[in-house]
Amino acid sequence: MSKIKVAVIFGGVSSEHDVSLVSATNVIQNLPKDKYEVICIGITKKGRWYYYPGDVNQIASGEWEKSSDCTPAILSPDPIHKGFIKIEADGTSVQKVDVLFPVLHGKNGEDGTIQGLFEMSGIPYVGCTTLASANCMDKGVTHTILDANGIRTAKWKAIVESELNHLDDKCREFADALGFPMFVKPANCGSSIGINKATDLESLANAIKYAFAHDKKVIVEEFITGQEIECAVFGNESPIASIIGEIAPANDFYDYEAKYILGSTNLYIPARIDEKSSDKVRETAVMAFKAMGCTGLSRVDFFLEKDGGIILNEINTLPGFTPISMYPKLMEAIGVPYGDLLDKLIKLAFERADITID
């Protein structure tokens, strides 16, 4: 039986480019080699697409870009091609693939933009659809949809670039509505990039300006005191929830450094919470997954308050797959090891496309 050709796409024009390289390396190394033939497609920080046939170990460091074996390649939006057009010195050729596995985080990878291209190509792909990806990426839209579905989130406000001319007024409005301290976040970034904690009007204004360096819309949320817990959700029409994991951040909050640099953040699997709270979080995670129209996978993040209150923080449609990432660790804890998880995610991609594979 011929192997299934899976294109693993990594890198991207995103502040999370480097995290993507580490995630992709792990995905490629753990895909079952007896079943899948991997086609590596890298996207540089400047947006150049390349077919990369070289050493997988060169991806995480970024050295892959320097390889003389890299060939410019673009995903054809014409479904007749079912693959990538490689632009070679003596002409073009088509690299056909059976399924796309985006290992991209943040802007241009997790926000529905590339998923739209996938849809046009007619090739099955891992993860959420265009609409679900876009809605989950925009924290303001996520709040709106979850609020409408009775799923509790932090109290919040939004500001767009055109309102910066009245920043002082907006800051006072936010302070009156939410109180200090509060968190300021770019609406469309992941990995806690661009997030700051504001404790007064001055730090609030500075945090908003900083967040606008990463996005054109900024979300301001009330400060929540509680345990940071996460749940992996897996499936299409009948999703399942993993056990709950807990994060004890090394920093004041779970920012980029605490996630990927300091290495002193503690992860607890299972989380140090009671069974009743765990069941409620799992139930809410599945409800949110369905409300947002998610398919394939998502990691749903919560705060658990001391009184048992559950507040949904965010939904990540393409969570990290690095060696320290919570999603694969949570799935492994319920009996789905890394390689099997990747295999099952690809099967879900074919299932959503109504394609039967052996």
Side-chain angles (χ1 to χ4, degrees), residues 131-132 134-136 138-153 156 287-293 315:
L131 181 60
N135 286 342
C136 289
D138 188 310
K139 295 176 178 65
V141 176
T142 301
H143 271 295
T144 301
I145 294 175
L146 295 179
D147 290 349
N149 281 271
I151 297 172
R152 185 184 173 195
T153 65
W156 64 286
M287 287 175 56
F289 188 89
K290 291 181 176 181
M292 299 301 297
I315 302 175

Side-chain angles (χ1 to χ4, degrees), residues 165-353:
N165 293 331
H166 309 286
L167 182 56
D168 289 344
D169 292 338
K170 298 298 292 186
C171 286
R172 285 190 289 270
E173 174 190 330
F174 297 157
D176 291 341
L178 306 175
F180 289 109
M182 64 183 78
F183 277 111
V184 180
K185 308 176 179 182
N188 292 277
C189 276
S191 290
S192 298
I193 290 172
I195 295 180
N196 274 296
K197 183 179 177 181
T199 56
D200 53 34
L201 289 172
E202 181 180 0
S203 60
L204 176 58
N206 289 335
I208 289 173
K209 291 175 185 176
Y210 179 74
F212 270 117
H214 299 278
D215 198 6
K216 295 181 180 298
K217 182 167 72 172
V218 170
I219 302 300
V220 182
E221 295 177 341
E222 67 171 330
F223 178 76
I224 303 295
T225 300
Q227 291 171 269
E228 296 189 43
I229 54 178
E230 300 182 345
C231 181
V233 183
F234 170 91
N236 286 337
E237 292 184 2
S238 301
I240 62 170
S242 71
I243 64 173
I244 308 304
E246 178 188 353
I247 296 162
N251 289 353
D252 188 31
F253 61 95
Y254 197 36
D255 61 4
Y256 185 90
E257 282 194 350
K259 285 183 178 180
Y260 302 113
I261 298 174
L262 295 179
S264 56
T265 292
N266 292 317
L267 305 180
Y268 296 95
I269 302 175
R272 299 170 298 177
I273 62 177
D274 61 71
E275 184 177 355
K276 181 179 179 181
S277 295
S278 177
D279 290 344
K280 182 61 177 177
V281 169
R282 295 174 70 248
E283 177 186 343
T284 305
V286 170
M287 287 175 56
F289 188 89
K290 291 181 176 181
M292 299 301 297
C294 296
T295 48
L297 76 160
S298 289
R299 193 193 73 233
V300 189
D301 302 347
F302 296 87
F303 293 109
L304 178 63
E305 297 179 302
K306 287 185 178 180
D307 64 0
I310 295 169
I311 300 174
L312 194 150
N313 183 30
E314 63 180 7
I315 302 175
N316 294 273
T317 58
L318 281 172
F321 272 83
T322 73
I324 62 172
S325 294
M326 185 68 93
Y327 188 93
K329 284 180 175 291
L330 289 173
M331 293 300 294
E332 185 172 11
I334 61 170
V336 186
Y338 202 117
D340 289 350
L341 171 61
L342 301 177
D343 180 50
K344 291 177 182 295
L345 287 171
I346 291 172
K347 287 179 178 177
L348 287 176
F350 283 115
E351 176 188 290
R352 190 180 60 207

